Amino acid sequence: MACGVNFSTITQPRPQPCYPSLSLSSSSSPSNSPKSLISQLSLVSNNPCLSLRRDRTLARSRLRAPNFKVLASAKKPEPLKIMISGAPASGKGTQCELITQKYGLVHVSAGDLLRAEIAAGSENGRRAKEFMEKGKLVPNEIVVMMVKERLLQPDSQENGWLLDGYPRSLSQATALKEFGFKPDLFILLEVPEDTLVERVVGRRLDPVTGKIYHLKYSPPETEEIAARLTQRFDDTEEKVKLRLRTHHQNVEAVLSMYTDITVKINGSIYKEDVFAQIDSVLTELLEQRQATSESLAAK
Ligand code: AP5
């Protein structure tokens, strides 16, 4: 297992009075290196107070904007660079919606970039669709440059990025490293396989807002939205089994590149509670960043 925090093992209810003790002390450890963060997270993960399972009060409280101290003299911290990974329908896109809403990162989804190429009718899109229909990885010569160019756009550089569904192979991870893209955190969503199939089959998309729905777990708010929902061409039971096989063939190799910055998140609970877990980790990471830039400014 990676040395990241496995929140899925933390199931005890967390009494409210424990909450203040969850804060990682940024002043005592100003380093924002991934190793430092993960070692602190590992300490926190041993804390029985850290149960986020079905704690909707906490989920709501953690959704509020972080209350960072801003010192006029402090240099703006580096923007966050996050990767999110997981099997098909593990909830990557759903969590990316929530993360970008709160943290303002630029969501870069390899799957969305490929579907945009298909919609544009380009040659790359036509070739990509052949692989996507078989649940296989689209060749690197199409995907790698596409993702690289998106990450180099000024908005990603300025605001930080949230890379969804990339890298999916060792060669993609290596290419990213060679281009100089270094993530701060690698989030792995863990969901049992039977749940994944049900999520795929019931997923629907709103072509107007881009929002992700599920007929049972996240139904559309109005009749008008329900009438315009679409289904992805690869969202069938047959195709998701192929996509799952591809995922299993590659995931360990990708994880091996990011062991010291990996955080494993239980993705099988309510989406708000999944987000609460991620939110805690990101908040602590930002607090460390802030402490580091303040301590540098004070020198
Ligand atoms: P991509 O589009 O990335 O698909 P995927 O990885 O299979 O993931 P999904 O988009 O299906 O699921 P998700 O994890 O985002 O789940 P979501 O939030 O929507 O890639 C498609 C294809 O493109 C690949 O198969 C491949 O061919 C190609 N490709 C992509 N990247 C590539 C790369 N790097 N290299 C080469 N080829 C590449 O949620 C799913 C459903 O569950 C929704 O209905 C949602 O409402 C529901 N749901 C979510 N969370 C919860 C929850 N907590 N509880 C209940 N329901 C939930």
Side-chain angles (χ1 to χ4, degrees), residues 29-49:
S29 178
S31 164
N32 68 346
S33 74
K35 275 224 156 79
S36 161
L37 172 72
I38 297 304
S39 65
Q40 288 200 50
L41 290 174
S42 300
L43 287 175
V44 170
S45 74
N46 294 326
N47 184 344
C49 297

mmCIF file of all heavy atoms in Angstrom, residues 29-49:
data_model
loop_
_atom_site.group_PDB
_atom_site.id
_atom_site.type_symbol
_atom_site.label_atom_id
_atom_site.label_comp_id
_atom_site.label_asym_id
_atom_site.label_seq_id
_atom_site.Cartn_x
_atom_site.Cartn_y
_atom_site.Cartn_z
ATOM 1 N N SER A 29 5.607 23.345 11.750
ATOM 2 C CA SER A 29 6.230 22.631 10.641
ATOM 3 C C SER A 29 6.008 23.393 9.354
ATOM 4 O O SER A 29 5.100 23.107 8.593
ATOM 5 C CB SER A 29 5.620 21.230 10.532
ATOM 6 O OG SER A 29 6.176 20.565 9.447
ATOM 7 N N PRO A 30 6.796 24.410 9.117
ATOM 8 C CA PRO A 30 6.524 25.272 7.987
ATOM 9 C C PRO A 30 6.832 24.662 6.628
ATOM 10 O O PRO A 30 6.452 25.205 5.618
ATOM 11 C CB PRO A 30 7.432 26.482 8.258
ATOM 12 C CG PRO A 30 8.514 25.962 9.142
ATOM 13 C CD PRO A 30 7.964 24.829 9.888
ATOM 14 N N SER A 31 7.475 23.513 6.605
ATOM 15 C CA SER A 31 7.817 22.943 5.301
ATOM 16 C C SER A 31 6.566 22.506 4.570
ATOM 17 O O SER A 31 5.658 21.944 5.147
ATOM 18 C CB SER A 31 8.720 21.727 5.503
ATOM 19 O OG SER A 31 8.740 20.986 4.319
ATOM 20 N N ASN A 32 6.484 22.766 3.279
ATOM 21 C CA ASN A 32 5.333 22.301 2.515
ATOM 22 C C ASN A 32 5.734 21.187 1.570
ATOM 23 O O ASN A 32 5.089 20.941 0.587
ATOM 24 C CB ASN A 32 4.660 23.442 1.754
ATOM 25 C CG ASN A 32 5.532 23.971 0.656
ATOM 26 O OD1 ASN A 32 6.723 23.674 0.629
ATOM 27 N ND2 ASN A 32 4.955 24.747 -0.244
ATOM 28 N N SER A 33 6.820 20.496 1.866
ATOM 29 C CA SER A 33 7.211 19.406 0.989
ATOM 30 C C SER A 33 6.199 18.280 1.121
ATOM 31 O O SER A 33 5.614 18.091 2.184
ATOM 32 C CB SER A 33 8.599 18.907 1.362
ATOM 33 O OG SER A 33 8.505 18.180 2.556
ATOM 34 N N PRO A 34 5.959 17.536 0.020
ATOM 35 C CA PRO A 34 4.981 16.451 0.083
ATOM 36 C C PRO A 34 5.270 15.490 1.212
ATOM 37 O O PRO A 34 4.386 15.073 1.924
ATOM 38 C CB PRO A 34 5.145 15.768 -1.278
ATOM 39 C CG PRO A 34 5.726 16.810 -2.177
ATOM 40 C CD PRO A 34 6.552 17.692 -1.288
ATOM 41 N N LYS A 35 6.546 15.165 1.431
ATOM 42 C CA LYS A 35 6.881 14.189 2.475
ATOM 43 C C LYS A 35 6.442 14.699 3.847
ATOM 44 O O LYS A 35 5.896 13.975 4.651
ATOM 45 C CB LYS A 35 8.391 13.953 2.486
ATOM 46 C CG LYS A 35 8.806 12.910 1.478
ATOM 47 C CD LYS A 35 9.813 11.955 2.114
ATOM 48 C CE LYS A 35 9.842 10.610 1.446
ATOM 49 N NZ LYS A 35 10.570 10.548 0.234
ATOM 50 N N SER A 36 6.715 16.004 4.063
ATOM 51 C CA SER A 36 6.348 16.588 5.340
ATOM 52 C C SER A 36 4.840 16.544 5.525
ATOM 53 O O SER A 36 4.338 16.174 6.574
ATOM 54 C CB SER A 36 6.854 18.021 5.384
ATOM 55 O OG SER A 36 6.167 18.730 6.364
ATOM 56 N N LEU A 37 4.122 16.911 4.458
ATOM 57 C CA LEU A 37 2.663 16.917 4.553
ATOM 58 C C LEU A 37 2.142 15.522 4.851
ATOM 59 O O LEU A 37 1.335 15.325 5.750
ATOM 60 C CB LEU A 37 2.049 17.403 3.227
ATOM 61 C CG LEU A 37 0.533 17.247 3.192
ATOM 62 C CD1 LEU A 37 -0.125 18.256 4.105
ATOM 63 C CD2 LEU A 37 0.010 17.386 1.779
ATOM 64 N N ILE A 38 2.633 14.549 4.083
ATOM 65 C CA ILE A 38 2.104 13.205 4.238
ATOM 66 C C ILE A 38 2.459 12.638 5.603
ATOM 67 O O ILE A 38 1.659 11.962 6.223
ATOM 68 C CB ILE A 38 2.626 12.277 3.114
ATOM 69 C CG1 ILE A 38 2.123 12.786 1.755
ATOM 70 C CG2 ILE A 38 2.175 10.843 3.323
ATOM 71 C CD1 ILE A 38 0.638 12.927 1.612
ATOM 72 N N SER A 39 3.666 12.983 6.125
ATOM 73 C CA SER A 39 3.981 12.452 7.442
ATOM 74 C C SER A 39 3.041 13.047 8.474
ATOM 75 O O SER A 39 2.608 12.380 9.396
ATOM 76 C CB SER A 39 5.443 12.703 7.803
ATOM 77 O OG SER A 39 5.665 14.075 7.922
ATOM 78 N N GLN A 40 2.687 14.305 8.308
ATOM 79 C CA GLN A 40 1.726 14.899 9.241
ATOM 80 C C GLN A 40 0.355 14.258 9.071
ATOM 81 O O GLN A 40 -0.337 13.977 10.021
ATOM 82 C CB GLN A 40 1.600 16.397 8.990
ATOM 83 C CG GLN A 40 2.815 17.159 9.435
ATOM 84 C CD GLN A 40 2.469 18.616 9.618
ATOM 85 O OE1 GLN A 40 1.505 18.948 10.275
ATOM 86 N NE2 GLN A 40 3.256 19.478 9.038
ATOM 87 N N LEU A 41 -0.011 14.016 7.798
ATOM 88 C CA LEU A 41 -1.313 13.409 7.550
ATOM 89 C C LEU A 41 -1.376 12.016 8.159
ATOM 90 O O LEU A 41 -2.386 11.599 8.679
ATOM 91 C CB LEU A 41 -1.574 13.322 6.044
ATOM 92 C CG LEU A 41 -1.820 14.650 5.362
ATOM 93 C CD1 LEU A 41 -1.909 14.432 3.868
ATOM 94 C CD2 LEU A 41 -3.077 15.293 5.884
ATOM 95 N N SER A 42 -0.244 11.300 8.074
ATOM 96 C CA SER A 42 -0.217 9.961 8.633
ATOM 97 C C SER A 42 -0.471 10.013 10.131
ATOM 98 O O SER A 42 -1.168 9.176 10.680
ATOM 99 C CB SER A 42 1.122 9.300 8.362
ATOM 100 O OG SER A 42 1.324 9.233 6.985
ATOM 101 N N LEU A 43 0.077 11.039 10.798
ATOM 102 C CA LEU A 43 -0.178 11.183 12.225
ATOM 103 C C LEU A 43 -1.660 11.416 12.457
ATOM 104 O O LEU A 43 -2.271 10.811 13.312
ATOM 105 C CB LEU A 43 0.608 12.385 12.774
ATOM 106 C CG LEU A 43 2.112 12.177 12.913
ATOM 107 C CD1 LEU A 43 2.756 13.476 13.356
ATOM 108 C CD2 LEU A 43 2.380 11.092 13.950
ATOM 109 N N VAL A 44 -2.211 12.284 11.623
ATOM 110 C CA VAL A 44 -3.628 12.603 11.794
ATOM 111 C C VAL A 44 -4.483 11.373 11.540
ATOM 112 O O VAL A 44 -5.471 11.133 12.211
ATOM 113 C CB VAL A 44 -4.012 13.744 10.840
ATOM 114 C CG1 VAL A 44 -5.513 13.922 10.830
ATOM 115 C CG2 VAL A 44 -3.356 15.027 11.281
ATOM 116 N N SER A 45 -4.049 10.530 10.591
ATOM 117 C CA SER A 45 -4.878 9.384 10.245
ATOM 118 C C SER A 45 -4.983 8.389 11.393
ATOM 119 O O SER A 45 -5.887 7.586 11.425
ATOM 120 C CB SER A 45 -4.328 8.685 9.006
ATOM 121 O OG SER A 45 -3.175 7.966 9.339
ATOM 122 N N ASN A 46 -4.045 8.471 12.346
ATOM 123 C CA ASN A 46 -4.139 7.589 13.492
ATOM 124 C C ASN A 46 -5.094 8.137 14.551
ATOM 125 O O ASN A 46 -5.355 7.507 15.554
ATOM 126 C CB ASN A 46 -2.756 7.401 14.127
ATOM 127 C CG ASN A 46 -1.851 6.659 13.168
ATOM 128 O OD1 ASN A 46 -2.324 5.811 12.430
ATOM 129 N ND2 ASN A 46 -0.577 6.995 13.178
ATOM 130 N N ASN A 47 -5.550 9.322 14.325
ATOM 131 C CA ASN A 47 -6.428 9.958 15.291
ATOM 132 C C ASN A 47 -7.844 9.428 15.110
ATOM 133 O O ASN A 47 -8.453 9.620 14.066
ATOM 134 C CB ASN A 47 -6.397 11.476 15.029
ATOM 135 C CG ASN A 47 -7.206 12.228 16.050
ATOM 136 O OD1 ASN A 47 -8.015 11.637 16.766
ATOM 137 N ND2 ASN A 47 -6.972 13.520 16.109
ATOM 138 N N PRO A 48 -8.404 8.724 16.122
ATOM 139 C CA PRO A 48 -9.748 8.168 15.969
ATOM 140 C C PRO A 48 -10.795 9.252 15.815
ATOM 141 O O PRO A 48 -11.933 8.983 15.475
ATOM 142 C CB PRO A 48 -9.947 7.365 17.261
ATOM 143 C CG PRO A 48 -8.990 7.963 18.246
ATOM 144 C CD PRO A 48 -7.832 8.470 17.460
ATOM 145 N N CYS A 49 -10.418 10.486 16.069
ATOM 146 C CA CYS A 49 -11.384 11.570 15.927
ATOM 147 C C CYS A 49 -11.669 11.877 14.466
ATOM 148 O O CYS A 49 -12.610 12.579 14.141
ATOM 149 C CB CYS A 49 -10.858 12.842 16.575
ATOM 150 S SG CYS A 49 -10.624 12.658 18.332
#
